[in-house]
Amino acid sequence: MNPLQKVTLPEKFAAIPDFWNPRIVGEVGEQYVKLARIQGVFDWHQHAQEDELFFVVRGQLRMGLRDPHERFMLLEEGELLIVPHGTEHRPEAVGEETWIMMIEPKTTLNTGNLKNERTREELERL
């Protein structure tokens, strides 16, 4: 991937045909920049070693957090949230669909400590 490549977010999101399947659009040091279209509710999970940054590009994101008490934060377009490692969380699209950008270590598995049908061991690059 050419590090001097311009990324046009609407074009990249248009190339994503499915939900909850992050795609890599860039790298910053040991971090991936990922995009995902999401719909509905994801699973509660955590990452033992990795912090995650969630940025809402389009729509709204409701982030469930258990640290240790359960609470929810609503993120609007243009807002971001950094979820520290070890924090159990559950992303949820508000409305029909939400577009999110994530910046996280290359070692981050999308389902963290949980392995199920939504786990993506290998990510596609756009």
Side-chain angles (χ1 to χ4, degrees):
M1 179 176 285
N2 180 350
L4 294 175
Q5 181 178 339
K6 178 173 75 171
V7 175
T8 305
L9 294 178
E11 289 177 9
K12 296 297 185 182
F13 278 106
I16 300 173
D18 51 4
F19 298 104
W20 299 111
N21 190 356
R23 302 315 203 280
I24 299 167
V25 294
E27 298 180 31
V28 180
E30 293 302 311
Q31 308 279 318
Y32 279 140
V33 179
K34 302 175 184 177
L35 302 180
R37 293 174 52 203
I38 64 172
Q39 186 178 61
V41 181
F42 203 60
D43 303 301
W44 285 102
H45 66 283
Q46 65 178 321
H47 305 276
Q49 304 297 321
E50 301 99 350
D51 299 335
E52 292 182 289
L53 181 148
F54 292 85
F55 176 78
V56 179
V57 176
R58 181 177 291 174
Q60 295 177 313
L61 176 70
R62 184 174 186 246
M63 183 65 77
L65 300 160
R66 290 180 179 155
D67 59 351
H69 303 290
E70 188 170 308
R71 61 191 172 105
F72 295 88
M73 294 182 72
L74 182 64
L75 301 176
E76 304 283 346
E77 287 182 17
E79 295 183 329
L80 65 84
L81 175 68
I82 298 170
V83 178
H85 65 279
T87 303
E88 194 172 14
H89 58 286
R90 185 189 72 187
E92 175 183 352
V94 176
E96 188 172 321
E97 179 178 344
T98 300
W99 292 1
I100 58 173
M101 177 170 40
M102 295 157 289
I103 301 174
E104 53 197 19
K106 293 178 180 179
T107 57
T108 305
L109 188 62
N110 69 317
T111 54
N113 63 324
L114 179 68
K115 298 274 181 125
N116 63 21
E117 69 280 352
R118 288 180 159 171
T119 302
R120 303 291 182 252
E121 299 281 347
E122 298 288 327
L123 299 181
E124 180 182 333
R125 291 178 181 268
L126 290 180

